[in-house]
Amino acid sequence: MKTCSSSSVTLLRFLPLLAGWFLLFNSDLHAVDESSQSASNTGDQTASDSAKETLENLVTTQHSVQIAGRSISFEATAGKLRLKNDDLESRAEVFFIAYTKTGVQNPSERPVTFCFNGGPGSSSVWLHLGMLGPKKIHFPDDASYLRPPYALRDNPWSMLDTTDLVFIDPVSTGYSRPSAEVEGSEFHGFDEDVESVGQFIHDYTTRFLRWPSPKFLCGESYGGVRAAGLSEHLQRRYNMELNGIVVISGAINFQTLRFSTSNDLPCVCFLPCFAATAWYHNALSPELQSQPLDQVVARATAFAQGPYASALLQGTALPAAQQQQIAAEISRLTGLSQEFVQQARLRITMRRFGKELLRDRGLTIGRFDSRYRNRDRDDAGESYEFDASGAAIFGPFTATFNDYIRRDLKFEDPRVYEILTGAVQPWSYASFENRYVDASESLRRAMTANPALKVFAACGHYDLATPPAAMDYTLDHLGLADELLPNITRRYYEAGHMMYIHDPSHQQLREDLLQFYRSATSVSAR
C-alpha cells in the first residue's frame, strides 16, 4: 500500500480539522489501503471507518530475494481481510500474506496466484515456506530428520519472479477466525469453504486492483478439491475467469483414496506407489532394484490397471490358481511376502503397507513421504503408531513460521497460529451425501466454459496420501472434450506429498511451472 502523493496538499487546506488525526495515524498510513486514505483526506470519516473495518492490522515491509540469478524487490503484506455479508455485517477475519513485486506499472502483465493448502484444517504454511515463497526450509535430501533449532534461507526456486503470491488461511486455520457470534460451522464444509475462500479471492482482487491481472490458483492436497470447486464457483458467482490451476499432490476424487470393503479402486491406485517405496528402501528383488524408478513404476502401473484390476473385479469368484499368480506378482512389486498378500485377500491398505514393508527391520514408513522411517513401540501392530514423515516435517515448519512472521514480516497476533487443526471438524460434505466426495465435475465444467483454463498436476512417487495414479485416474475420467485434453499437464517427481522439500525435485518443479505459466498466459517473468 502506498500513501497518496497529493495528501500533503489536502492536509494543508484542512489542517485545523485534520492535524490531530494526522499526528495520531501518520506513522501507520502505509498500512492503510488507498481507498481508505482517499476517504480520510476528503473528510469522509464514515468511508474511512468502513475501509478500516474491511482491512485490519495490515503490516507492509520491503524485501528483496535472489531468484535465478536476479534480484527481485518485493513488498510483503501480512494482515486480515474481513469478510462481510450484503448487509455489511462481519462474518470472519481471513489472515493472508501477500508478496507483490515492486515496480510493476501494468497489472495485466503481472500474474497473481492465490495459494492454499488442504486438510481440511491446514494453514498455507507448507506452500508458503516450502515451495513458493521467498524463504524456505532446507530439508536433507536423504530424508533424515532435521535437528532443532531450525532456520529459513532464501528460496532460489520461488515463483515470485513470475507471479505475485497471496497465501490464504481458510477460516479457523492460521490466524483466521469467525467473527464474534458467528459459528465456525458456517465455514467448515466443502460448499461453505469454497464460498468463503471464493469471497476472499474476489474481495482481494477488487480491493487491490487485480482484476486486469492473469489469475491462478495453487492448491495442495485437499487444496485440489478446493481449487476444483473454486474454478466453477468463481465463474458462476463473480464471473471471474482463471488462467490456470496448479494442483500439488491433489485430492479431487475421494473414491481413489478411501480404502473400504466395497471400494477396490484405491488398491489399484496405490500399488505403483507401494512399488516405488519398496524400491527406495531396497526391498525388491535384485532384478527390480537394478532398474530405474520410472521403469519399476511403469511395470507396477501396467499390472495394477490390467491383471490386478481384473482380479479385484472378480472378488471371491477369482480362481485359486489365478489368485496365487496375482499374489506372487504383488509380492514381487511391493516387497511384501506372498503369504501376507494372500492373507489380505490381495487388498493392501496404505496403513498395513506402512507397517509391514520394513517390519523385519523394526521400522515404519511415512504416509506423506514414504522415504521417511521411524519406529513404533513394538513391531506386532497392524498399522503404524504415527506418520514418520509428519514427525519430521511439522516441527520445522511451525517453528520457522512463528519466528519469520514476527521477525521479518513484523506481524503480531497473540493467538496460536493454527498450522494444522482439528477445530474445523466435523467438516460437512452435505452436497456429496451418500456418495464419495468428487469435485472433478466442477473442474470439467469450468474448463469447458473457459477453454483457456489450464491445469498443472504435480505428483510424487513416494506420496502415500494422494498417489500419482489417483490423480491420473481423476484427470482421465474428467470427460473433457478431445480439444481440451492438451490443457492438462502432469509431472512426476522422485519425492513425496511435499515434493518441494526434496531440493532436486523442487528445482525441477520450478522449471516445469515456468513453462506452465508461459503456456497459460503470454506474460513472462517481469
Side-chain angles (χ1 to χ4, degrees), residues 241-520:
E241 299 291 1
L242 301 170
N243 289 74
I245 299 174
V246 177
V247 180
I248 305 296
S249 302
I252 295 179
N253 178 356
F254 283 18
Q255 187 177 3
T256 64
L257 306 172
R258 298 291 194 233
F259 291 94
S260 74
T261 56
S262 60
N263 181 31
D264 287 335
L265 184 56
C267 297
V268 175
C269 293
F270 275 75
L271 188 74
C273 259
F274 291 166
T277 300
W279 180 90
Y280 180 84
H281 292 290
N282 199 30
L284 299 179
S285 67
E287 176 218 349
L288 287 174
Q289 286 295 156
S290 66
Q291 297 179 17
L293 175 62
D294 288 347
Q295 291 185 20
V296 174
V297 170
R299 175 172 170 174
T301 300
F303 170 74
Q305 295 180 355
Y308 185 40
S310 177
L312 294 176
L313 187 62
Q314 295 180 61
T316 56
L318 182 70
Q322 190 175 349
Q323 183 190 60
Q324 289 184 354
Q325 292 174 356
I326 296 297
E329 184 62 13
I330 293 174
S331 176
R332 277 191 291 271
L333 290 169
T334 64
L336 304 177
S337 72
Q338 184 172 340
E339 179 185 14
F340 180 85
V341 173
Q342 288 186 277
Q343 289 175 342
R345 302 293 190 269
L346 309 181
R347 293 159 176 82
I348 312 299
T349 66
M350 183 272 138
R351 295 190 67 86
R352 281 182 171 176
F353 179 79
K355 180 71 172 182
E356 183 67 21
L357 178 64
L358 303 181
R359 190 190 296 268
D360 60 350
R361 306 182 204 177
L363 298 170
T364 62
I365 58 173
R367 174 173 175 259
F368 287 113
D369 192 329
S370 63
R371 298 176 304 142
Y372 285 88
R373 301 176 297 183
N374 213 310
R375 298 180 182 274
D376 287 345
R377 180 180 179 87
D378 60 52
D379 303 327
E382 181 181 11
S383 65
Y384 52 81
E385 293 177 2
F386 62 95
D387 178 6
S389 55
I393 295 169
F394 292 172
F397 274 94
T398 303
T400 52
F401 178 87
N402 277 290
D403 181 68
Y404 174 68
I405 189 67
R406 292 167 174 82
R407 191 183 303 274
D408 288 36
L409 302 189
K410 311 302 180 184
F411 185 87
E412 294 285 347
D413 192 309
R415 292 175 292 189
V416 172
Y417 184 83
E418 298 291 353
I419 297 289
L420 184 62
T421 178
V424 301
Q425 300 299 335
W427 190 264
S428 172
Y429 294 111
S431 56
F432 299 100
E433 189 173 1
N434 297 323
R435 60 192 177 101
Y436 287 101
V437 175
D438 183 6
S440 58
E441 181 60 13
S442 293
L443 181 59
R444 184 202 65 80
R445 286 194 290 256
M447 295 182 71
T448 303
N450 174 14
L453 175 58
K454 296 181 182 295
V455 173
F456 178 95
C459 304
H461 286 308
Y462 305 127
D463 180 3
L464 294 184
T466 57
M471 178 55 65
D472 287 337
Y473 179 93
T474 299
L475 296 177
D476 289 340
H477 289 77
L478 280 181
L480 285 175
D482 289 346
E483 61 268 21
L484 295 179
L485 294 178
N487 286 357
I488 297 178
T489 300
R490 313 177 201 195
R491 294 293 182 267
Y492 310 92
Y493 306 90
E494 293 189 23
H497 192 73
M498 303 170 182
M499 71 281 297
Y500 43 79
I501 69 171
H502 178 241
D503 281 357
S505 295
H506 191 185
Q507 186 174 6
Q508 183 60 53
L509 176 59
R510 170 180 155 81
E511 294 303 314
D512 294 337
L513 284 174
L514 290 176
Q515 184 176 353
F516 174 73
Y517 271 76
R518 285 192 293 266
S519 71

Side-chain angles (χ1 to χ4, degrees), residues 103 127 129 148 158 160 177 194 205 247 307 362 377 429 435 447 458 515:
L127 288 174
L129 297 185
S158 170
L160 189 52
R177 300 291 187 272
V194 165
T205 300
V247 180
R377 180 180 179 87
Y429 294 111
R435 60 192 177 101
M447 295 182 71
Q515 184 176 353

Side-chain angles (χ1 to χ4, degrees), residues 126-198:
W126 321 102
L127 288 174
H128 180 190
L129 297 185
M131 175 181 164
L132 295 169
K135 298 284 187 180
K136 73 165 290 180
I137 308 169
H138 172 69
F139 288 89
D141 289 338
D142 63 358
S144 58
Y145 280 53
L146 283 175
R147 178 179 296 178
Y150 313 108
L152 294 174
R153 67 176 187 182
D154 283 352
N155 182 4
W157 307 302
S158 170
M159 290 296 293
L160 189 52
D161 60 335
T162 299
T163 175
D164 291 338
L165 302 165
V166 183
F167 295 94
I168 307 169
D169 290 340
V171 177
S172 298
T173 74
Y175 289 134
S176 301
R177 300 291 187 272
S179 297
E181 301 181 1
V182 177
E183 295 293 331
S185 59
E186 294 187 22
F187 308 93
H188 300 163
F190 172 81
D191 292 317
E192 297 86 346
D193 175 74
V194 165
E195 290 173 3
S196 61
V197 175

